[in-house]
Amino acid sequence: MIWLISSIFGLIGGIINLTFGLIWILLTVIARWMVFQKAGEAGWKSIIPFYRDYTAYKIGWTTSMFWVWLVFTVIGNMAENAANGNAWSMYGIIGTICGLATVVIALGYSLNMARSFGKGTAFAIGLWLLEPVFMMILGFGSAQYQRVRIRF
């Protein structure tokens, strides 16, 4: 009898979790759609995962930095998988260096994206750490796109 009650509560919790997750994803897509439109891009580009990131880098920085980020991400993941959990192997060290490079590039993207919408460094750090929340602030807020680039 206890397993039945536990199963029912588990089911209810799963349904609630799924509902809030879907609402979160929908709000994130809508906010990104609005950010893209503010920057003069088609909103539908926010739906396609790979193309979404390419377009976001196009808006916030440059597409060449997107490709650098992508190369470091792919090489880093391949090296981490080859390391098999051994962080001090050659592959582990390469994976760690590539991971750090992607973090630095993502921070540069966040700084450029925040500046492009007239926001400061604190907003850029928020965009870097909690991108969906800060994309909603950009998308639903009054920020206007200004296309500002900083060199990094």
Side-chain angles (χ1 to χ4, degrees):
M1 184 64 162
I2 292 177
W3 64 269
L4 180 63
I5 294 171
S6 176
S7 297
I8 290 172
F9 278 115
L11 178 65
I12 291 170
I15 290 171
I16 291 171
N17 191 18
L18 178 66
T19 303
F20 280 116
L22 290 174
I23 290 170
W24 180 261
I25 290 170
L26 182 64
L27 283 173
T28 303
V29 168
I30 291 170
R32 206 177 272 274
W33 186 299
M34 294 175 72
V35 168
F36 282 16
Q37 285 184 329
K38 284 182 178 183
E41 294 288 335
W44 62 265
K45 294 178 181 180
S46 67
I47 299 172
I48 304 168
F50 182 78
Y51 197 45
R52 172 193 66 209
D53 296 333
Y54 175 83
T55 306
Y57 268 81
K58 181 179 174 184
I59 292 168
W61 206 354
T62 63
T63 55
S64 61
M65 288 311 295
F66 167 78
W67 293 111
V68 171
W69 172 82
L70 184 66
V71 166
F72 276 121
T73 301
V74 170
I75 291 173
N77 285 336
M78 289 171 44
E80 289 291 331
N81 288 335
N84 288 327
N86 185 1
W88 294 107
S89 69
M90 179 182 69
Y91 293 118
I93 293 170
I94 291 171
T96 301
I97 291 170
C98 288
L100 290 172
T102 60
V103 167
V104 170
I105 292 169
L107 181 58
Y109 157 75
S110 296
L111 284 166
N112 278 300
M113 182 67 93
R115 298 272 161 72
S116 293
F117 282 91
K119 303 292 183 182
T121 304
F123 190 90
I125 293 170
L127 187 62
W128 179 56
L129 295 174
L130 297 167
E131 184 177 11
V133 173
F134 284 83
M135 276 294 181
M136 286 183 207
I137 293 170
L138 288 179
F140 296 123
S142 62
Q144 296 298 315
Y145 184 64
Q146 302 165 3
R147 190 165 178 91
V148 175
R149 301 285 183 264
I150 60 172
R151 293 290 171 198
F152 196 46

